[in-house]
Each structure stands twice: as structure tokens, then as C-alpha cells.
């Protein structure tokens, strides 16, 4: 053997190693034109397993062996490489998955892609529609003659948008249904690659007739016989790659069709065939071999058997190959991921394999990097020690910091899981790994270059802030991470500041108002009637303001938001927003910051204790800045104060501020007769008005001057109807002396084709609202009722309704109430006019005079017009006992399922109607009782969906005591509904009457034992899932009330609890005391150790905490809390537990306890602050005196962290040492490759040794030691490829097949 010496300069010049570049390709390429460089020029066919023999046969290089269905370990097909350069490598989009099951098949991914495209198109058309409606509303207020052409053009565009939205929604629904239906899997990429590639010659396709025969034989032959036949056919050597791939496809189809066949495999034969495939020179054959073995995995024993086939070294050799072997590398990584699908299969992954995956995750240009990161994340969840020992934590943290990984939320979730308990935290070096995410906020220049990466980082921050472990991690070092986040609001990068503002809106769950876009654009809120279009929202305080409402549930989300808001304010949120406003960098950004500031102050006033929020409302710094007149410097402060005040005054004027809001958005959408908030706030004309002024107003309205309704002043017409026309004298004058009322009523006549031909647009809905107001006000006077009864409006309307009755004899080629006309015009508004008449007894007489009730019955019987039936019923007023109630009862029982569901929902406002203080009799109670009787009848509907809606509405009705008692008196039977009816039965416990009723059924004792023995544990899962869904970024919300199921249980609220309902009555408290269950709960809490990690113990403790919290939230249950002093124990858990989720549970339980007066006093004695409303009642939000106490962790008691094994360990020393000096030198140089300083010199010298004495790299012992070094050292992917390329590829066959090493010399 030649002596080893330093390499020549020419050899060194060809070994140019750079970070992120391949080391195994040719050298000599300049830095401006880099390719995958190599330490030495590779010889033809000297790859470990050459893949060139079949490259001319198969399809494009991006094709794959992916199965048609989702096999074990599969992942997204978006990682396929089509002919493109590495600089243009596509990245995998993994942002939508929640766990490792995001790996869908091609068909499902295509379906999701189409659904996303449909949704994007719908959002785009919706924005066009809203813009067209706003523009049309503005044009209507202008001169009709001047804007006629423009208005027609806008209406045309609006109609086009409505039509496109309807078509897109229909296509989206069809695509969703198609995705849900089970379909026969189509041929996957495997078929596309091997069975129909256009690159094959016709002669090469003949072999696939045999493949089809193998598949067809599965229908008739025994599966074991077919398996043996296929394995025997694989013995043939020297055939084309198509042959082996086709047999592999047949094996995969066999395993899919007969899953149990994998348990009866004879691995001596099957394993040998697979080894031969994995040793093939064709990369497609190797990929097919990985795919077959992956489908043959059955359990952990089968994994051990597979590893005995030396698959570890084969997988390593496949993964380190260049990108041109994409098919092989992809299938090799899929094969590794299949280990994770087997119970404890992760323990069968060797450190060498995991280090190879880590090297892929560190290689930024590798197209498999994202899936490698995902694989490491899943391994870390299952066995953190494996990833830590392989050095995989660093690449995961780097990907979080960079924001380049598309699935950043899932990666953060994995770290949050690690940070939750001390046994998991010990695998993390510092426990502050999430702080790396905030690194991009500290550099205002380079950090914000890539907006998409910044968005990914912000998604990670949002995910961390929505969980207790994440918030605890970020709270260290005095909330330094949150300080840096808020400091970024002062960076001079507009899009970065805008994204941070969006993050704050999202994290604090502040929903921007509907007029946000107009406000940010600088337009006045009152322009074009925008205030009239504001959507009302029911604030949380509204539902708590009524002491009789026994159904009030604590909101865990608002309690958590109160804590978040307190932390942000503590970190200087208000000051950061004020500084951002004073920095006049962008007008729209400044107004957005002002809007956020106003919402934050409103949220603080609602959720924080008075001691914490009172000082915030003053904004002393801003007012001080605005009070000094120093020229233009005070303008931003003055503008901000004006903007916040303008928004609040606008909301107050429109009736939408907090507690004054009475109408919900649902009322406004479903019942056009409800006056708009803007209409309520406008000054009305006086009823007592002199004759001259009244006539001038009639003339000014333009009704007397022209019949063109587009020129009429509809706002003035509305004021006249609600003002002077309520005076009988002025009404008589308008009827007899002018044509005002005649023309106004004539506008609504069907056969005038004015109202009935108007387009169904948002601005035109005012015609419906004004028409409903006209109907109601005319009925208030005898003269108006008589005029309305004798007008042609109702006669023509009755004639149009008769066209729907086949027995009436009236027909029309274009019926007024045809489906297209109802959807495109205001024809459906006639039912709103009839609904306005039905709200008055005199109006019902008029309806009866024209026999419309009979026509209504005919409409109910129409089986093909569910739309018309729902439109009719949704507009009627059932407050008065009349034929309309019989009509509704018939629809509830005799119509189709959709109509029955919608009709059941119509009972909601009647069953839950608020008591009217002005009512003289018990009419409100009688209406509610009528609705409840119908709902009880719906409990026995043959369709369970209808019964479920009825149960939810009855449960909501039971929020009032007198209605709950009436439901109990109806004695409903709910046994046939099972779990669906359980919440309603649970609600019966709230009153003594319901308690006695359930006690007679022997329900209470059975349910109590059930909860004590197991339902408490299930409750923990339910409430945590509800909270997680409420805080999640991906909560799907219904688009309209009609599509929204009436779910009483909202995400983020405390679900009904048996012990909470039990302690509402004295009888229930006595039963609880006699049972001893509460004492058992307290004992479990006291015995809970703060550092325990036993899952069963923690689940039991959480169940007891929630039970105690629900009991303590009731006034009658609070004495149990006071006598046991359990509050101190719960506070101890909230402040000292080593498990972060246990702290969160204790924190939420303390909020429940604070809802009762006794609980609030006990918490106040211990220094906790409780938020209250203006009446002094607790809102259920409590905060500790020192925020850090909730997040402090005693590091001295935590287990010591695990560190990576030192490279100088005993095992490593044995690997480096060798008796042969040449081998020892090679091993030393291999170790030096891991040193960035010595890498170039070591590679050059190894290249020189390879050139001078190639026999050195033909020793199996040296190869084993080299693989041992790769297993124990951190090497980049190109270095690993270089090391393996040094050795002769024939050695792989000897190792895998365990042949005699002497064959190397033959």
C-alpha cells in the first residue's frame, strides 16, 4: 500500500465545499455557476447503487411510486419534483394539517385545492357584490336622471355577482359532497409512472399485460397462491425494470385487498426478494421495493424482522443520494414514516437513520426538507430522547426562527407539548426554545424582508399565545418576548406593523366591525347610510344582565383573554399603540391602530377588574400630548381622540352600543319588519304638524310630482309614514286630497310591475322595510285599515297567490311567485308585507277577507316548493292565536325534513321571548307555552336532526325558571334520544319541580353515580376540546343563520355539569351533602402532587377541579367551598404545579368559583382581583395579584436536562482507533469532516487517498467504522454523501446479503 501523504494542490482545488451545496458532484465549477460539486470527479457507475440503467425507460424524473390510497407513512404528493432546477424547488404547503394525518392522497388533495379555489372565488365575488351595493346605494341618493346609466351598469354587475356566487356555492357544495363519498381509488402516480408513460415504446408495454393478469387473478385465485406466484416470478434476474416494478405493484394491490396477509408472510423468502429489489441498479425498482416493504409492515415484530434485512444501511444510502434520485429518496422516507404508524415502532428507528433525517432537515435546498422536519417533529412527540441524541432539536428551532416551514403551527404545537410537563421539558436545553420565534421582531431591517416568512412566524406566535404552556414559556424573563413583539410596532416597516396589529386583533379575539374597511379608508361612518348597515352584536354583558336567566354560562375564552390583555397591558400595549399613532408613517395604519386602541379600551372596561382598567380609560399621555399646542406635532393625538370618540358616538346614535342593543343581526336579516338601528336613531317628524308644513313635505318627497319611484325621496317618505301619517287627520288628507298614498300603494301593486320587478339587491331592501312600516301604521287607525282593505294591492296579491293553487283555475305563463323571480327580484318581499299584516288582529281580518289563508294551506301542500314554504313561514307573525299557528303546526309535522327543521327554528323567538314590562296580561307567557308545546311535539319527530334542534331550543327556553317549570309539566319523554336529550334532562335539575320529577324517574341517583364514577373524566375532555376549538385559528363558522344549527353549546363556554345543576336547589344540596361526593373531590385535590405526571391521576384531579368549580359557582353551592378551604389548594395548584395545563385548569376553576358572591369574597381575601359589572355582580374573570406567580417554575426541582452525547465518548474512541495506520488516518480524517474549519483539508486528503490507494476503501471493517462515525457525529448531508461515495458499492451487497468478503476481490 502506498504511503499516505498530503494531497496535491490540484486535488485540493477541486474540493470546494460550501454550506448548502452538494459535495458529491463534479468540481471545477465557478462560484457564479455552481452545481452539485464533488470532492473528486465520480466515475461512471461508481454510485453506491447506480440508477442509470433504466433512466430511458420510465417517465419524467418527478414521477413516483405513490399508492392510490393513503398507505402507512404516506405524505403529501406535493413534494414531487418535475423537471426543474434546484433553485426553483417547490416547497410543500403543510399549513392546513393538524397532525400527521395531513398526508392525504392525490385525489383528496386535488379536492381540497378545488374547494379552496371555490372559496377564494366566492370571497372575491362577495367583495364585488358589497362594493356594488355600496356604490348603488350612493347612486340612489343622487339625481336619478344623471346616474341612470351608471346605476344600470352597477345593477348588472351586482346581478352577475349574485349569479356567480350562487353557482360557485353550488359547485362548492357538490365538491364537498363528492369528497365525502367513498370512491374507488384512481390509479396513483405509480400507475402514471409505470403503466402508461408516453416515453415507453409499444414493445415495452407488452409486459404490462402480465401485470393486469396478476391483478385479475386476485378475483379468482387464493391470495396465498398469488403471493407465492409473484414471489417466485421475482426470482428471475436480468429483466427490465418494468417487470420488477409491475410485480411490486401486484404485491401492493394484494396487501391492500387482503390486509391480514401480511401477518402470514414467510420472511425468509419474502425478505430475500425485497433485498434483491433494494440492491437493484434502477432507482425505480428500489423505490418499488421500499413501497412493498412499507405495505408489508404489520407490527413491531415485523419491524424487527425488516431491520434484520439490513434496511437501515439501505435507507441511509438512499436518503443521502442526490436530488436526481427523488423517487427512491421519497419512498425511503415514506418507509421510515411507516414506523411511526406502528405502536412503539418509533423505538425501532436507529440513531444513524435519524441523524440522516436530521441532515436532510438542515439542508435548506433539499426538496424533502419539509417532510424531514415533520418526521422529526413526530418522532419528538413519541420519543424525545431519540431526536435529542441525534441533534434534531436545533434544525426544528431554526425552522421556527426562519419561518420557512409551512406547517409552523404544528411545529409549535410539538414544542408546546414538550413544555407542558417536567419530564418532557428536561429534553429541552433551556425551556425557552419558543423565544427564538421572536428573533425576527428584533431586527427592523433584515427581519421583515420576507413578508410570507413573517406571517408564518406570527402564526407560530399566535399558536403559542393561545395555550397555557406557550404563554408560560413566553412569560419568562419578565415577559421579554412579548415586550419585543410590542416594540416592533415602532419599526419603520409598514407591512410588518400591519401584521403585528392583525396578530393583536386575532390573539385578543377582537372582531373588527363591519364598517372597518370604510373607516380605514378615511370615509365618514355616516356616509351613504353605512351606519344603517352596521350589524348588531350581542355583547357578553347583555346575557349576564338578567338575573332570572339561569342558563348563563361562564366564558373560558373571555377569562383567558382577560389574562392575555392584562399581560399585554403590563408589557406596554397602550404605550406602544400611542407611540405608533404619533408616528405619522401611514394614514391607514394610524387609523387601524386607533381602532385597535378603542377596542382594547372597551375590552379592558368589560373584562378587567376596575382597579386594573380605570386608569387605562383616561389615556393621560395622549391627552397631555393633545393639550399642548405645538403646531403640527399634536395633530396625530387630536386625530386619534377624535376617531375613537367618533366611533363611540356613532355606535351610540345607531343603538349598537353595549347594553342598549336590543335587536340582533338575526332579527334584522330574517324579519324585514324590524326597524333598522339607524332608523331608530334618526329624528322623526312630529305627528302634530300643521297643514302647510305637511303639504310642503308631501311635495318635497317627489311622490306627487312623478310616478318614477327612483326619483322619490324614500328617507322622507319613511319619516312621513312614521310621523304625520299616524295622525288620522293628516292620513285622511293624504288619502282624499292628494295622490300621495294612492301612488305609494300603487308602487307595491303586483301588476304595476314596479316593486315586483325591482332587483333583489341590498339597497332595494329599503322598499321592503318601508312597505312593512306602511302596512303596520295604516292598521293603527280605522281610516288606514279601511283604505288598505279596499285597495287593489291585496286583491291583486291574492290573485297572484291563487296562481299557485291548481284548483283555483287561475294560471299564468310567468307566475309572480316563481322560483327565479323570488331569487332575482323583490317578489319575496310581498310575504314580508303579509307578515306585517299578520302582526295585527285587524290585518288578519283583512287577510281572511281575501281568502289568503286558504292559499297559504295550498302553498304548504306544495312538495316541490320548499323555498316558497320557508319564505312564507319565516315572514309570518305567530304572536296572535290564529290560523297561522295551525299552518305552522302542519308544516312542523307534514312537510319535508328541511322545512321541518327551519320551521322548528322559527319557534325560537317565541319560546325564548323576553317578558314585556308593558304587557297587561300573561300574553308573553302564553305565546312561550304555545311554542314549547310544539317543540315538545318535535321531540318525537322521526328524523333525529329535527329532534336535536327541538332539544337545543327547549334547553335555551329553560334558561327562565317559569318556562323551565312549564317544560317539566309537559313531561317529555327523552329516552329514545339518548345522549341528545341528556342536556335537557340535566337542566330539569335547576328547579325543585324538575328535581322531584326526575327523582320520581330514579334519574338523579343513577346519573349521580355515573358522573362520580366516570363522567367527570369525560367532562374534562369535553371542556378542553371546547376551549381548544374556541382558541383555534381554524374554527369554521356558519355563513348565515339559515345554515347555522341552533347549538346552545358554544365553543369556549363551560358545558353543563351535573353537580352545578344539582346545587341550584336546596334538595340537590342536601343530596350532595349526604352522598359525600364533594368531600371526595376535595380529598383528591388535596392529595394531588404538583409534580406528578401520571395521566390517570391528572385526569382524575382535573375532573375533581371542574366539579368543585361548578359547585362553587352556585350561591347554594358556595358554602361547600367555604367550609372546606379548597380555594387555597386550588390557588396552590395554579401557582406551583409543574404541569402547565394543570395550572390552566386551576385558573379557569377559580374563575368559576368567583361567579358566586361567597367565592368572590374568598378570592378577594387571598388578594385576587375579580371583574364585576355595573351592578357589582361577578363576571367570572379573576386575576392574581402578581402575574408572574402563574408562570414561575422552580428550576431547582426540575429534572436535569439531557445533553447530546459528547463526541469523545468511549464508543467513539473505539470507532476512531484502528491498528492499521492507514485506516486510522482515514478514520481521523472522517472525523475532521465534521469540523467546518478542517473540512476542506480533510476532504482533499481523503480524495488523494482514494486516488492513490483505492483498496483502502474496500475493507468492510473500515466501512463499518465509517458508518459508526456517521452515526455518532453531526455531519451535513453533502458530507455524508461524500463519505459513502468513497467506498466501493460492491460492499453494500456483501453486507446486506451477508456474503463472504473474499468476493470483493473477484
Amino acid at each position: 500500500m502506498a504511503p499516505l501523504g498530503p494531497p496535491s494542490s490540484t486535488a485540493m482545488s477541486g474540493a470546494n465545499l460550501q454550506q448548502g451545496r452538494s459535495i458529491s458532484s463534479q468540481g471545477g465549477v465557478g462560484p457564479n455557476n455552481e452545481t452539485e460539486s464533488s470532492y473528486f470527479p465520480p466515475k461512471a457507475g461508481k454510485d453506491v447503487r447506480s440508477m442509470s440503467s433504466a433512466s430511458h425507460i420510465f417517465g419524467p424524473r418527478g414521477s413516483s411510486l405513490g399508492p392510490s390510497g393513503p398507505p402507512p407513512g404516506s405524505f403529501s404528493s406535493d413534494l414531487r419534483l418535475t423537471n426543474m432546477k434546484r433553485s426553483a424547488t417547490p416547497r410543500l404547503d403543510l399549513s392546513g394539517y393538524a397532525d400527521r394525518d395531513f398526508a392525504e392522497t392525490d385525489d383528496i388533495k386535488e379536492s381540497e385545492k378545488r374547494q379552496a379555489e371555490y372559496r377564494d372565488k366566492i370571497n372575491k365575488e362577495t367583495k364585488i357584490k358589497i362594493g356594488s351595493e355600496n356604490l348603488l346605494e350612493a347612486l340612489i341618493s343622487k339625481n336619478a336622471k344623471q346616474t341612470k346609466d351608471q346605476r344600470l351598469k352597477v345593477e348588472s354587475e351586482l346581478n352577475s355577482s349574485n349569479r356567480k356566487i350562487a353557482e360557485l356555492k353550488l359547485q362548492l357544495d357538490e365538491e364537498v359532497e363528492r369528497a365525502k363519498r367513498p370512491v374507488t381509488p384512481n390509479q396513483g402516480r405509480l400507475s402514471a409512472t409505470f403503466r402508461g408513460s408516453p416515453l415507453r415504446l409499444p414493445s415495452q408495454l407488452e409486459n404490462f399485460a402480465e401485470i393486469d393478469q396478476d391483478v385479475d387473478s386476485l378475483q379468482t385465485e387464493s391470495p396465498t397462491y398469488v403471493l407465492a406466484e409473484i414471489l417466485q416470478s421475482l426470482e428471475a434476474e436480468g429483466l427490465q425494470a418494468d417487470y420488477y416494478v409491475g410485480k411490486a405493484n401486484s404485491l401492493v394491490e394484494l396487501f391492500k385487498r387482503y390486509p391480514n396477509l401480511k401477518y402470514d408472510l414467510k420472511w425468509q423468502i419474502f425478505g430475500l426478494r425485497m433485498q434483491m429489489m433494494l440492491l437493484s441498479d434502477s432507482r425505480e425498482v428500489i423505490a418499488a421495493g421500499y413501497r412493498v416493504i412499507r405495505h408489508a409492515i404489520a407490527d413491531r415484530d415485523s419491524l424487527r424482522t425488516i431491520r434484520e434485512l439490513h434496511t437501515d444501511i439501505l435507507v441511509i444510502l438512499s436518503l443521502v443520494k442526490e436530488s436526481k434520485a427523488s423517487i427512491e429518496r421519497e419512498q425511503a422516507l415514506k418507509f421510515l414514516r411507516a414506523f411511526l404508524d406502528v405502536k412503539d415502532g418509533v423505538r425501532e428507528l436507529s440513531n444513524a437513520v435519524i441523524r440522516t433525517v436530521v441532515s436532510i432537515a438542515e439542508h435548506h435546498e433539499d426538496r424533502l426538507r419539509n417532510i424531514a422536519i415533520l418526521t422529526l417533529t413526530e418522532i419528538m412527540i413519541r420519543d424525545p430522547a431519540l431526536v435529542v441524541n441525534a441533534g434534531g432539536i436545533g434544525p426544528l428551532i431554526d425552522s421556527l426562527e426562519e419561518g420557512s416551514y409551512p406547517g409552523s403551527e404544528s411545529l409549535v404545537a410539538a414544542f408546546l407539548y414538550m413544555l407542558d410537563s417536567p419530564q418532557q421539558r428536561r429534553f429541552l436545553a433551556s425551556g425557552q426554545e419558543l423565544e427564538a420565534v421572536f428573533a425576527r421582531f428584533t431586527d427592523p431591517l433584515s427581519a421583515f424582508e420576507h413578508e410570507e416568512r413573517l406571517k408564518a412566524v406570527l402564526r407560530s406566535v399566535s399558536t403559542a399565545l393561545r395555550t397555557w404552556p406557550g404563554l408560560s414559556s413566553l412569560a419568562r424573563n419578565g415577559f421579554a418576548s412579548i415586550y419585543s413583539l410590542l416594540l416592533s410596532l415602532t419599526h419603520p416597516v409598514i407591512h410588518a406593523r400591519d401584521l403585528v396589529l392583525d396578530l393583536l386583533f386575532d390573539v385578543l379575539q377582537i372582531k373588527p366591525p363591519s364598517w372597518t374597511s370604510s373607516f380605514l379608508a378615511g370615509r365618514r361612518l355616516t356616509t351613504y347610510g353605512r351606519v344603517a348597515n352596521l350589524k348588531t352584536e350581542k355583547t357578553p354583558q347583555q346575557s349576564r344582565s338578567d338575573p332570572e336567566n339561569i342558563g348563563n354560562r361562564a366564558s373560558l375564552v373571555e377569562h383567558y383573554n382577560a389574562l392575555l390583555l392584562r399581560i399585554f397591558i403590563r408589557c406596554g400595549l397602550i404605550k406602544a399603540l400611542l407611540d405608533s399613532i404619533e408616528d405619522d408613517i401611514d394614514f391607514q395604519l394610524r387609523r387601524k391602530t386607533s381602532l385597535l386602541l378603542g377596542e382594547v379600551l372597551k375590552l379592558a372596561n368589560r373584562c378587567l377588574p376596575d382597579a386594573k382598567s380605570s386608569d387605562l380609560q383616561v389615556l393621560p399621555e395622549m391627552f397631555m400630548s393633545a393639550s399642548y399646542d405645538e403646531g403640527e406635532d399634536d395633530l396625530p393625538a387630536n386625530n386619534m381622540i377624535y376617531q375613537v370618540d367618533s366611533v363611540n358616538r356613532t355606535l351610540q346614535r345607531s343603538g349598537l352600543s353595549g347594553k342598549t342593543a336590543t335587536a340582533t343581526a338575526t332579527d334584522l336579516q330574517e324579519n324585514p319588519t324590524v326597524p333598522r338601528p339607524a332608523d331608530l336613531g334618526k329624528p322623526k317628524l312630529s305627528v302634530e304638524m300643521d297643514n302647510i308644513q305637511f303639504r310642503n313635505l308631501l311635495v318635497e318627497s317627489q311622490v306627487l310630482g312623478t310616478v318614477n319611484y327612483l326619483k322619490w325621496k324614500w328617507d322622507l317618505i319613511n319619516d312621513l309614514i312614521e310621523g304625520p301619517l299616524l295622525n288620522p287627520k293628516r292620513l285622511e288628507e293624504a288619502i282624499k286630497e292628494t295622490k300621495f298614498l294612492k301612488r305609494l300603494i300603487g308602487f307595491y301593486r303586483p301588476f304595476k310591475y314596479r316593486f315586483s320587478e325591482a332587483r333583489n339587491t341590498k339597497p332595494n331592501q329599503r322598499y321592503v322595510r318601508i312597505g312593512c312600516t306602511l302596512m303596520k301604521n295604516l292598521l293603527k287607525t280605522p281610516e288606514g285599515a279601511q283604505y288598505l282593505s279596499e285597495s287593489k294591492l291585496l286583491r291583486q296579491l291574492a290573485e297572484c297567490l291563487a296562481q299557485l293553487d291548481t284548483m283555483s283555475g287561475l294560471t299564468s305563463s310567468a307566475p309572480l311567485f316563481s322560483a327565479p323571480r323570488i331569487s332575482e327580484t323583490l317578489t319575496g318581499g310581498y310575504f314580508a308585507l303579509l307578515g306585517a299584516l299578520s302582526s295585527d288582529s285587524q290585518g288578519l281580518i283583512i287577510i281572511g277577507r281575501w281568502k289568503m289563508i286558504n292559499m297559504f294551506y295550498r302553498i304548504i301542500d306544495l312538495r316541490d316548493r320548499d323555498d316558497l314554504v320557508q319564505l312564507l313561514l319565516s315572514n309570518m307573525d305567530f304572536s296572535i292565536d290564529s290560523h297561522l299557528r295551525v299552518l305552522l303546526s302542519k308544516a312542523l309535522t307534514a312537510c319535508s325534513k328541511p322545512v321541518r327543521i327551519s320551521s322548528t327554528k322559527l319557534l325560537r323567538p317565541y319560546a325564548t321571548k323576553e317578558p314585556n314590562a308593558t304587557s297587561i296580561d300573561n300574553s308573553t307567557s302564553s305565546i312561550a307555552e304555545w311554542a314549547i308545546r310544539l317543540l315538545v311535539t318535535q321531540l318525537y319527530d322521526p328524523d333525529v336532526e329535527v329532534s336535536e334542534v327541538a332539544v337545543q331550543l327547549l334547553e335555551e327556553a329553560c334558561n327562565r325558571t317559569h318556562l323551565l317549570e312549564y317544560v317539566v309539566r309537559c313531561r317529555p319523554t327523552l329516552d329514545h334520544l339518548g345522549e341528545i336529550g341528556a342536556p335537557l334532562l340535566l337542566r330539569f335539575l335547576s328547579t325543585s319541580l324538575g328535581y322531584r320529577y326526575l327523582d320520581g324517574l330514579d334519574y338523579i341517583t343513577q346519573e349521580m353515580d355515573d358522573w362520580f364514577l366516570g363522567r367527570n373524566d369525560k367532562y374534562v375532555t369535553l371542556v378542553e376540546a371546547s376551549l381548544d376549538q374556541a382558541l383555534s385559528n381554524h374554527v369554521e363558522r356558519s355563513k348565515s343563520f339559515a345554515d347555522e344549527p341552533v347549538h346552545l353549546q358554544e365553543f369556549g363556554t363551560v358545558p353543563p355539569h351535573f353537580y352545578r345543576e344539582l346545587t341550584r336547589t336546596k334538595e340537590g344540596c342536601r343530596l350532595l351533602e349526604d352522598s359525600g361526593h364533594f368531600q371526595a373531590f376535595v380529598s383528591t385535590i388535596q392529595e394531588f402532587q404538583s409534580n406528578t405526571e401520571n395521566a390517570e391521576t391528572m385526569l382524575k384531579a382535573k375532573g375533581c377541579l371542574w366539579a368543585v368549580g361548578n359547585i362553587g359557582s352556585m350561591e347554594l353551592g358556595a358554602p361547600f367551598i367555604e367550609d372546606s378551604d379548597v380555594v387555597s389548594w386550588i390557588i396552590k395548584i395554579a401557582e406551583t404545579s409543574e404541569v402547565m395545563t394543570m395550572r390552566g385548569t386551576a385558573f379557569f376553576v377559580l374563575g368559576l368559583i368567583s361567579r358566586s358572591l361567597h367565592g368572590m369574597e374568598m378570592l378577594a381575601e387571598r388578594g385576587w382581583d375579580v371583574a364585576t359589572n355595573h351592578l357589582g355582580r361577578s363576571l367570572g374573570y379573576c386575576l392574581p395579584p402578581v402575574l408572574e406567580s402563574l408562570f414561575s417554575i422552580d428550576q431547582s426541582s426540575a429534572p436535569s436536562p439531557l445533553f447530546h452525547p459528547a463526541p469523545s465518548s468511549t464508543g467513539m474512541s473505539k470507532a476512531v482507533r484502528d491498528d492499521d495506520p492507514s485506516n486510522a488516518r482515514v478514520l481521523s480524517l472522517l472525523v475532521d469532516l465534521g469540523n467546518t474549519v478542517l473540512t476542506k483539508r480533510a476532504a482533499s486528503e481523503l480524495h488523494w487517498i482514494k486516488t492513490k490507494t483505492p483498496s483502502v476503501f474496500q475493507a468492510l471493517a473500515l466501512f463499518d467504522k465509517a458508518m459508526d462515525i456517521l452515526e455518532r457525529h453531526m455531519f451535513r448531508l453533502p458530507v455524508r454523501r461524500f463519505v459513502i461515495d468513497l467506498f466501493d458499492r460492491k460492499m453494500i451487497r456483501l453486507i446486506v446479503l451477508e456474503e463472504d468478503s473474499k468476493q470483493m476481490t473477484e
Side-chain angles (χ1 to χ4, degrees), residues 184-406:
T184 303
N186 297 325
Q187 290 184 342
R189 292 190 302 149
L190 181 65
S191 303
T193 304
F194 300 111
R195 296 191 177 179
S197 174
L199 300 182
R200 293 192 183 88
L201 298 176
S203 60
Q204 296 170 341
L205 297 176
E206 296 177 356
N207 293 329
F208 294 98
E210 300 179 3
I211 301 174
D212 296 334
Q213 292 176 1
D214 291 337
V215 177
D216 295 338
S217 64
L218 299 180
Q219 305 289 344
T220 57
E221 301 290 346
S222 169
T224 55
Y225 175 79
V226 176
L227 175 63
E229 191 178 52
I230 297 176
L231 292 179
Q232 184 178 3
S233 63
L234 286 174
E235 293 182 5
E237 297 183 1
L239 300 179
Q240 291 186 353
D242 289 349
Y243 175 82
Y244 299 104
V245 172
K247 295 300 179 181
N249 290 341
S250 301
L251 281 176
V252 172
E253 293 298 329
L254 184 65
F255 287 137
K256 286 182 179 180
R257 187 163 301 181
Y258 302 100
N260 294 330
L261 189 62
K262 65 181 70 172
Y263 295 95
D264 300 327
L265 287 176
K266 293 184 179 181
W267 282 95
Q268 295 84 355
I269 301 175
F270 180 79
L272 179 60
R273 300 293 177 266
M274 295 302 103
Q275 283 179 323
M276 298 305 298
M277 291 189 68
L278 296 179
L279 290 172
S280 173
D281 290 334
S282 170
R283 64 174 68 99
E284 284 79 11
V285 175
I286 298 173
Y290 283 126
R291 181 168 177 253
V292 173
I293 299 177
R294 172 158 54 93
H295 283 83
I297 296 176
D299 49 25
R300 189 175 179 183
D301 291 335
S302 65
L303 291 178
R304 294 193 182 100
T305 304
I306 291 173
R307 289 193 62 195
E308 292 175 358
L309 301 176
H310 301 283
T311 54
D312 285 354
I313 187 172
L314 292 172
V315 168
I316 293 173
L317 297 180
S318 296
L319 291 178
V320 300
K321 287 190 175 181
E322 301 176 1
S323 58
K324 64 182 180 181
S326 58
I327 300 176
E328 178 183 345
R329 299 181 72 228
E330 179 180 334
Q331 289 298 325
L333 195 51
K334 283 186 177 182
F335 169 69
L336 290 182
R337 289 178 57 80
F339 281 56
L340 306 179
D341 292 328
V342 180
K343 182 180 180 181
D344 295 330
V346 67
R347 301 183 184 275
E348 298 300 326
L349 291 173
S350 65
N351 188 46
V353 171
I354 298 178
R355 280 196 183 272
T356 306
V357 177
V358 171
S359 66
I360 297 176
E362 291 176 332
H363 197 57
H364 292 266
E365 296 182 357
D366 199 299
R367 60 183 297 273
L368 296 182
R369 179 175 185 252
N370 288 337
I371 199 64
I373 292 174
L374 176 62
T375 304
L376 290 176
T377 303
E378 296 178 6
I379 296 175
M380 183 176 67
I381 293 296
R382 290 170 171 82
D383 194 341
L386 293 177
V387 178
V388 173
N389 294 332
I393 299 295
L396 298 181
I397 296 176
D398 291 342
S399 62
L400 270 182
E401 181 180 352
E402 296 166 1
S404 58
Y405 180 58

Side-chain angles (χ1 to χ4, degrees), residues 72-86:
S74 63
F75 52 85
S76 175
S77 59
D78 293 343
L79 282 175
R80 299 180 181 90
L81 181 65
T82 55
N83 297 324
M84 59 177 61
K85 299 179 179 179
R86 296 185 67 181

Side-chain angles (χ1 to χ4, degrees), residues 588-779:
Q588 185 172 353
L589 189 63
R590 187 171 66 248
R591 291 179 72 91
K592 187 174 184 177
T593 309
S594 303
L595 180 62
L596 177 60
L597 178 61
E599 294 289 347
V600 166
L601 295 177
K602 186 192 306 181
L603 184 63
N605 183 48
R606 188 176 77 241
C607 296
L608 293 184
D610 293 338
K612 306 296 182 183
S613 64
S614 57
D615 296 338
L616 300 176
Q617 309 298 327
V618 182
L619 294 178
E621 297 179 359
M622 181 59 69
F623 277 95
M624 185 177 298
S625 176
S627 60
Y628 292 102
D629 188 6
E630 298 179 358
E632 296 183 356
D633 294 339
D634 60 330
L635 290 180
N638 291 330
N639 290 339
M640 188 280 300
I641 295 174
Y642 170 76
Q643 289 166 8
V644 175
D645 181 64
S646 174
V647 170
N648 291 332
R649 283 188 289 105
T650 303
L651 293 176
Q652 182 69 29
R653 265 200 322 271
S654 60
L656 300 178
S657 60
K659 306 168 187 177
T660 62
T662 56
T664 64
T666 300
D667 299 330
L668 296 175
Q669 292 175 2
E670 293 202 343
N671 192 354
T673 62
V674 176
R676 290 283 172 173
D679 300 333
L680 295 174
K682 290 182 179 179
K684 306 299 180 182
L685 297 177
S686 174
V687 177
E688 301 297 332
M689 183 179 295
D690 58 54
N691 186 27
I692 298 177
Q693 186 179 4
F694 178 66
R695 285 184 173 272
N696 290 336
L697 290 175
L698 293 182
V699 174
E700 185 181 350
S701 67
Q702 301 295 324
V703 176
L704 301 179
T706 178
V707 295
N708 186 357
Y709 68 93
L710 296 176
K711 297 182 179 180
W712 296 353
K713 295 184 178 180
W714 287 95
D715 293 337
L716 180 57
I717 294 173
N718 183 70
D719 292 342
L720 287 170
I721 294 173
E722 295 183 344
L725 290 182
L726 292 177
N727 189 332
K729 183 177 180 180
R730 298 291 170 242
L731 179 61
E732 183 179 4
E733 181 180 350
I735 294 174
K736 295 182 178 180
E737 298 183 11
T738 67
K739 295 183 178 180
F740 178 81
L741 213 56
K742 179 181 179 182
R743 287 188 174 178
L744 190 57
I745 292 293
F747 164 72
Y748 290 98
R749 285 166 54 184
F751 296 153
K752 287 285 188 178
Y753 298 108
R754 295 175 183 172
F755 175 81
S756 59
E757 290 297 326
R759 312 306 298 175
N760 187 12
T761 61
K762 183 179 178 181
N764 287 348
Q765 289 297 322
R766 62 177 180 173
Y767 302 143
V768 181
R769 293 195 298 270
I770 293 176
C772 294
T773 305
L774 178 62
M775 299 294 110
K776 287 184 176 181
N777 289 347
L778 287 178
L779 294 175

